[in-house]
Amino acid sequence: MIDEVVSSGRPRVLVVGGKLKHVRKARELGLDVVHVQYPDEYDRGHWPYVDQALLLDYGDIDRLLPLVRALHAAYPFQAAVSLSELGLLPTARINEALGLRGESVETVELLLDKWRMRRHLAARDISPVASAVGRSGQDIREFVKAHGLPIIVKPVRESGSLGVFRIRDQADVDVVAERYRSLDDVQWTLGDLAFADSFHEFLMEEFLDGPEISVETLSFDGRHVIVAVTDKEVGGAGFVEIGHSQPSGLSAETLGEVRRLVTDFLDAVGLRNGPGHTEVKLTSRGPRIIESHNRIGGDRINELAEIAYGVDMEHYALGAGFGLVEPLTASPEPQGGAAVRFITPEPGRVVEVTGVDAVRADPAYVDLQLDVKPGDEVPPLTWNEDKVGHVIARGATAAEAIANGKRLAAAIHVRTEPMP
């Protein structure tokens, strides 16, 4: 069996975590696939695309690395790749341990650790933002005294708008400190959190005014290409994203400032190859980096880029390092507009869901995902995982796609009743 697999002559990739579509796309590119995945995330649907699988909690690095070494000895692969947040650091450690190509552990750590990133940027005079680490209400009060209100309190690590709070006045200080500490008592499931100690301390930052965008990039041996700039809409009690669109409606001047900042940022953190998803606030003092990730943005941003620009960033992330996808030489031109709108019904128990068939029959419809049915519970909107579905719409322009997305999302009626 080993001889048969090795003699296939195809390059082999180790895919850490991610979704079924990622191993399917790797196979479609002509790669043999070794897949590292949580046991409950792997099923027979993976079988046509996966040659070997290693099923475990891949966040346990000490357990993961010896097993990957053994697997590599039997079925050598040329690189490890991950398109999921939880797989980024394990992937970097695998590539480093086996001497394979890939982003350095140092770069990945800089992107995962927001406090470390802030200090790194400050030392290079890039995107200055007042920040500090705290563990108590007193730490928050001292930061407020030094920098004024409002401020942001959020995890030093983690993503998905989890545990992000705005403090507007002094009365919020103790409330937010207590709410943040209470996150440590939640029964998180495997895969919810990247780090077990996520809520032992928090990052305090000055509040950045202005709208938020994200910048989607692909890097080729240190040359950064901006694929798209995504306009965002946020909602809920925190900073949960409820809508995205491409191409951006920003002025050419602002887009130029954003491009320069993000390119300088990616150089500063040492990103060399693969995708990047960098969140930026357009403040009254100019654009500022919020955070960044060496992966493709979530919330269906890749699908928007496919519609608006004809670029599948996942193909590049999986295949560019093997020479299977031709590197981009310049930012692509938009081919139309694309928007995703998230479905956020009132919290409670779902009584009825209607409108699905009409939405799917609409000419502007691209995709619909709805994760609730009658009897399910809709939680309050506090982080990205609380959203219960989405609709993706197209249009001749971004404005038309946004209008279509809002119209289609409004046509999905998820009626809830209060929980007893």
Side-chain angles (χ1 to χ4, degrees):
M1 179 64 177
I2 295 176
D3 291 340
E4 177 187 347
V5 173
V6 171
S7 64
S8 73
R10 295 181 300 201
R12 185 172 295 111
V13 64
L14 178 76
V15 178
V16 181
K19 300 178 180 178
L20 173 60
K21 66 174 181 175
H22 298 150
V23 294
R24 174 177 55 78
K25 288 184 178 185
R27 172 68 89 221
E28 290 170 351
L29 284 165
L31 292 165
D32 280 349
V33 178
V34 181
H35 193 28
V36 177
Q37 185 58 280
Y38 294 129
D40 61 355
E41 294 289 331
Y42 186 88
D43 58 32
R44 62 187 306 124
H46 292 77
W47 295 357
Y49 316 112
V50 175
D51 297 280
Q52 289 82 35
L54 181 59
L55 306 180
L56 77 165
D57 174 7
Y58 51 80
D60 185 347
I61 301 292
D62 292 337
R63 184 179 173 218
L64 174 68
L65 285 180
L67 293 173
V68 169
R69 286 183 189 277
L71 195 59
H72 182 58
Y75 307 106
F77 43 88
Q78 284 69 58
V81 176
S82 183
L83 284 78
S84 70
E85 180 78 7
L86 300 181
L88 298 176
L89 186 56
T91 296
R93 293 198 182 280
I94 289 168
N95 285 326
E96 180 183 80
L98 299 180
L100 305 175
R101 63 176 179 266
E103 296 313 296
S104 69
V105 172
E106 180 181 4
T107 291
V108 176
E109 283 279 11
L110 271 175
L111 295 174
L112 289 171
D113 188 324
K114 302 175 182 69
W115 172 230
R116 187 173 175 183
M117 182 200 75
R118 284 285 178 228
R119 288 179 293 168
H120 187 79
L121 295 183
R124 289 154 180 78
D125 197 27
I126 296 173
S127 186
V129 175
S131 59
V133 169
R135 299 175 68 95
S136 68
Q138 182 57 34
D139 292 332
I140 298 175
R141 280 185 282 273
E142 291 177 1
F143 187 81
V144 169
K145 184 177 180 180
H147 301 287
L149 288 165
I151 69 164
I152 295 294
V153 170
K154 62 184 181 181
V156 175
R157 297 160 90 99
E158 298 304 337
S159 61
S161 301
L162 176 62
V164 180
F165 300 98
R166 183 194 308 186
I167 295 180
R168 298 178 174 84
D169 53 47
Q170 292 290 343
D172 284 341
V173 171
D174 290 329
V175 173
V176 167
E178 182 58 34
R179 288 180 65 191
Y180 190 88
R181 281 192 295 268
S182 71
L183 293 172
D184 233 354
D185 300 326
V186 175
Q187 296 300 307
W188 302 102
T189 60
L190 185 65
D192 281 341
L193 302 179
F195 302 94
D197 62 349
S198 291
F199 308 115
H200 291 186
E201 58 186 12
F202 46 77
L203 183 65
M204 301 171 289
E205 294 181 339
E206 63 173 300
F207 176 73
L208 299 175
D209 62 335
E212 179 182 337
I213 60 171
S214 67
V215 182
E216 326 309 334
T217 56
L218 288 168
S219 297
F220 305 93
D221 197 24
R223 180 177 58 84
H224 311 300
V225 176
I226 292 179
V227 175
V229 174
T230 306
D231 292 341
K232 297 177 179 286
E233 183 178 346
V234 298
F239 297 88
V240 182
E241 296 160 359
I242 60 173
H244 306 316
S245 62
Q246 296 177 7
S248 174
L250 296 175
S251 69
E253 180 182 1
T254 300
L255 285 173
E257 293 180 10
V258 168
R259 287 171 179 269
R260 288 189 291 273
L261 173 63
V262 170
T263 299
D264 289 346
F265 168 79
L266 295 177
D267 284 341
V269 298
L271 188 70
R272 300 287 301 167
N273 289 286
H277 169 68
T278 305
E279 297 168 358
V280 175
K281 266 292 190 80
L282 304 175
T283 80
S284 55
R285 295 177 293 151
R288 294 289 187 271
I289 301 291
I290 301 174
E291 57 189 62
S292 185
H293 314 267
N294 64 309
R295 58 163 172 79
I296 298 162
D299 283 346
R300 303 306 187 268
I301 282 177
N302 190 61
E303 286 88 335
L304 300 189
E306 287 188 82
I307 298 166
Y309 292 95
V311 175
D312 184 345
M313 296 179 67
E314 292 173 345
H315 271 149
Y316 282 91
L318 292 163
F322 294 90
L324 300 173
V325 184
E326 196 67 28
L328 294 177
T329 57
S331 297
E333 292 295 323
Q335 304 173 356
V340 60
R341 190 77 183 179
F342 296 96
I343 299 169
T344 57
E346 289 295 315
R349 191 174 304 282
V350 177
V351 175
E352 184 183 37
V353 178
T354 59
V356 170
D357 291 341
V359 165
R360 287 184 170 142
D362 194 284
Y365 162 83
V366 176
D367 182 58
L368 169 66
Q369 179 178 318
L370 194 59
D371 300 325
V372 292
K373 60 186 183 303
D376 290 344
E377 181 182 348
V378 175
L381 187 62
T382 60
W383 71 306
N384 281 352
E385 296 304 312
D386 292 328
K387 294 179 287 197
V388 304
H390 70 264
V391 61
I392 298 177
R394 67 173 75 247
T397 63
E400 184 176 297
I402 292 168
N404 287 336
K406 290 181 177 180
R407 175 175 57 80
L408 295 181
I412 301 292
H413 299 288
V414 180
R415 185 162 64 87
T416 61
E417 62 182 8
M419 297 286 290

